[in-house]
Each structure stands twice: as C-alpha cells, then as structure tokens.
Amino acid sequence: MKDTLKAWRERIRERRLLNNVWRLAVFTVGVSVLAAGVAMLVLPGPGWAAIFVGFAILATEFAWAQRALTSAKQTASKAKEKALDPRVRRRNQLLAICAGVIVAAAIVAYLQAFGLNLPWHV
C-alpha cells in the first residue's frame, strides 16, 4: 500500500499543474488546521495538538514546515525533560500549595467580612 501511495505521488509530481494543485491543497488544509489550533489557544479545544498536526500536514510538502516541526519537537522534548525534573516538580508543587493556601485565606477573609452576601447590590 505504501509503495502504491509513493507511486501515485510520483505520478502527480511528474505533471506540473497537478503538482501545484496538490501543493496548494496541502497548503490550504495545513494552514486551516494551523489557524484552528491558534484559535483554540484562546477558545476551548486542543490548540497545541492542532498546531502540531497543522505543521505535520505542511511538512509533507514544504521544507520550511519540516524545519519548524523539528524545532517544535525538540523544544517540546526539552520542556518535558524540565517538567519531569524532580527539583522543578517539587518547586512547582510547593508553589501550587502556597497559592492554594493564599486563595483559601482570601476566601475565609471575604466570608468573615461580608458573609454570604455580595458587597454590591444586584
């Protein structure tokens, strides 16, 4: 099956117009997925996953996208190694605990000052 796909792609490459149409289609789909991923960074959805998928689609035809995808994979690998470092993980856990204690103290202080009533009139 893989050989038939390679042969099919080679036949497309032999015809200049068909090759350009194919590359335009890949570009359109890749950029659409990439744009959806960027939008999902602020909207609900798997933004980073869509961005990586968009670059993977573009990387099938464009060298610049292949370089960007390789760079992103290396950066993600470094971030994973840093996140799994026991010292960094312990520090992050302590920061999360401290933030939780501060938020709990703020809630208790608010409830003592205002009770369950809101400080503004609705």
Side-chain angles (χ1 to χ4, degrees), residues 44-55:
W48 287 109
I51 289 172
F52 287 129
V53 169
F55 272 120

Side-chain angles (χ1 to χ4, degrees), residues 46-70:
W48 287 109
I51 289 172
F52 287 129
V53 169
F55 272 120
I57 292 169
L58 290 169
T60 62
E61 291 295 322
F62 302 102
W64 59 267
Q66 181 65 39
R67 287 189 302 270
L69 184 62
T70 302

Side-chain angles (χ1 to χ4, degrees), residues 2-56:
K2 195 173 187 180
D3 292 331
T4 57
L5 289 176
K6 284 185 178 183
W8 178 75
R9 183 63 184 111
E10 285 302 318
R11 278 184 277 155
I12 289 176
R13 280 194 181 106
E14 291 171 358
R15 295 171 178 84
R16 186 173 181 195
L17 179 63
L18 196 55
N19 187 45
N20 287 339
V21 169
W22 175 260
R23 287 175 59 97
L24 181 64
V26 168
F27 181 79
T28 303
V29 171
V31 168
S32 298
V33 172
L34 192 63
V38 170
M40 283 188 273
L41 290 176
V42 294
L43 298 172
W48 287 109
I51 289 172
F52 287 129
V53 169
F55 272 120

